[in-house]
Amino acid sequence: MTPPLLHLEDELTRLTLAPHLGASLVEWTLRSTGAPLLRPPAPQALENGLPGKLGCFPLIPWSNRIAKGGFDCPGGWLALEANSPNDPFPIHGSAWQQPWQVIEHSAQQALLQLDSQQPFAYCASLRIRLSGGQLQIAMHVTHLAEQAAWHGLGLHPYFPRTAGTRLQTRATEVWMCDEQKLPTGLGQVPEIWDFQQPRLLPDTLVDNGFGGWDGHCLIQQPDLGYELECRASGSEYFLLYCPVGLDFFCIEPVSHPVNAHHLPGRPGLRLLEQGQAVTLGFSMQCRLL
C-alpha cells in the first residue's frame, strides 16, 4: 500500500504533498488550466520513491554537496557517506530520504514533522499553506544532539522551463565550480548570468551558487499563463541549476553555499547547541497573465 498523499487547495491553485517521501511537494498546479507551477512529477516517481523527480523537497540539515567524506564539529569529525546513486558526495542532507509525520492537515494548511537521528539528532517541521494563489513554506529545525553541530537549510524546487521562461533576481557574487561541481572561488557575476532584468535562461549549463541575494526572484511563464513572485527569508544565497535540453530549472533558496562546511569561515552555516533552532521561509505568489 502506498502511503496517502495530502491535498491542499485555494481559489486559484492545487497542491499535492507526499509526507512519506521526505515531505516532498509532488505537484502544484493552476485549478483553471492545470498548468504546472512546479515541474510535474516524472512517471513512476511516486511509486519508486524518488523525491528528486517530484516538484520540491526540503534540504535539512544542509544543502547540496559536502566533500572530504564529512566535516568537523566541536565533538570531532562527523563522517558521512554518499547518499545518492547519482553523486559521489553526501548531498542535500537527510530529511529528504526519511518519512515525515502529519501533525495537522486542513483544506489549505499542513504541518509535517520529522524526528531524525541522522547524521545527528534534530527535529524538523514544515508548515505549508495555500492562500490566494500563494504557497508559503516555513521550515524550523531544532538541534537535539548533546554535541553541537553545523546546520544549514534550503529548499529544492523544480520549475517548468519553456521557450519563454524568464527569470529576474539579483546577486552580487557567484561561486565558480570544478568538474566535481564543488566551488573553487568567488567571482563577479558574468553578464550571461546577470538577471537584474527579466531575461531568458542560458542555453548552456548553469549549476552554481550565488551570494549577496535579497531573497527575491520573479519567474515569468508567459507560455503557461502566469508569473511567480518568490520571497525567501533566512537565505542569503541561492543555487541556480539550468540543465541543457531539459524542461525544468531550479532556483533554490539556501542558507549557505555549496560545501560551506569546508569553505573559510563556513559562510551561512549555524553552529547549534542542543535546543537551539534555525529557520527558513519561502513563498511563491502566483499571478495570472
Side-chain angles (χ1 to χ4, degrees), residues 84-95:
S84 170
N86 302 318
D87 207 285
F89 299 108
I91 190 167
H92 297 330
S94 61

Side-chain angles (χ1 to χ4, degrees), residues 244-259:
V244 176
L246 298 181
D247 60 357
F248 71 88
F249 77 103
C250 304
I251 180 166
E252 308 163 36
V254 294
S255 64
H256 62 91
V258 176
N259 202 32

Side-chain angles (χ1 to χ4, degrees), residues 1-6 17-21 46 99:
M1 287 286 292
T2 302
L5 303 176
L6 300 185
L17 307 172
H20 67 289
L21 289 181
L46 279 172

Side-chain angles (χ1 to χ4, degrees), residues 19-262:
H20 67 289
L21 289 181
S24 295
L25 281 60
V26 179
E27 58 182 342
W28 185 32
T29 59
L30 284 178
R31 291 179 57 182
S32 58
T33 64
L37 300 164
L38 294 172
R39 175 194 64 176
Q44 305 302 310
L46 279 172
E47 293 80 355
N48 295 329
L50 300 174
K53 299 294 185 180
L54 301 176
C56 179
F57 60 88
L59 308 173
I60 303 169
W62 69 80
S63 157
N64 213 273
R65 298 166 178 85
I66 295 180
K68 301 182 181 179
F71 57 89
D72 269 319
C73 288
W77 181 259
L78 180 65
L80 301 170
E81 295 184 358
N83 59 338
S84 170
N86 302 318
D87 207 285
F89 299 108
I91 190 167
H92 297 330
S94 61
W96 67 297
Q97 295 178 317
Q98 299 183 70
W100 290 53
Q101 294 177 292
V102 180
I103 305 302
E104 300 173 14
H105 177 218
S106 64
Q108 291 187 228
Q109 287 196 69
L111 177 62
L112 309 180
Q113 181 174 304
L114 171 66
D115 293 297
S116 178
Q117 297 297 318
Q118 299 296 328
F120 40 72
Y122 66 85
C123 177
S125 69
L126 278 180
R127 182 172 290 279
I128 300 164
R129 182 172 184 264
L130 274 186
S131 179
Q134 184 181 68
L135 172 56
Q136 298 174 326
I137 302 172
M139 181 185 301
H140 186 278
V141 177
T142 303
H143 185 67
L144 299 181
E146 291 185 7
Q147 293 283 354
W150 295 97
H151 282 253
L153 300 179
L155 279 171
H156 200 313
Y158 295 81
F159 297 101
R161 179 176 181 175
T162 74
T165 299
R166 292 177 177 267
L167 174 66
Q168 181 180 21
T169 195
R170 293 178 181 271
T172 61
E173 57 194 13
V174 63
W175 273 266
M176 300 304 171
C177 298
D178 59 21
E179 64 279 358
Q180 294 182 299
K181 302 179 181 178
L182 296 174
T184 56
L186 272 174
Q188 291 186 330
V189 177
E191 194 277 333
I192 193 172
W193 295 350
D194 184 350
F195 295 97
Q196 293 189 63
Q197 300 300 320
R199 65 182 296 171
L200 297 173
L201 299 171
D203 293 328
T204 52
L205 174 67
V206 187
D207 193 358
N208 296 74
F210 292 75
W213 189 38
D214 62 4
H216 176 260
C217 74
L218 179 67
I219 300 169
Q220 297 177 332
Q221 301 279 24
D223 296 338
L224 299 173
Y226 67 84
E227 65 181 16
L228 287 180
E229 184 167 10
C230 308
R231 295 190 180 276
S233 60
S235 169
E236 296 181 5
Y237 306 88
F238 67 85
L239 304 181
L240 183 62
Y241 177 45
C242 300
V244 176
L246 298 181
D247 60 357
F248 71 88
F249 77 103
C250 304
I251 180 166
E252 308 163 36
V254 294
S255 64
H256 62 91
V258 176
N259 202 32
H261 298 75
H262 298 293

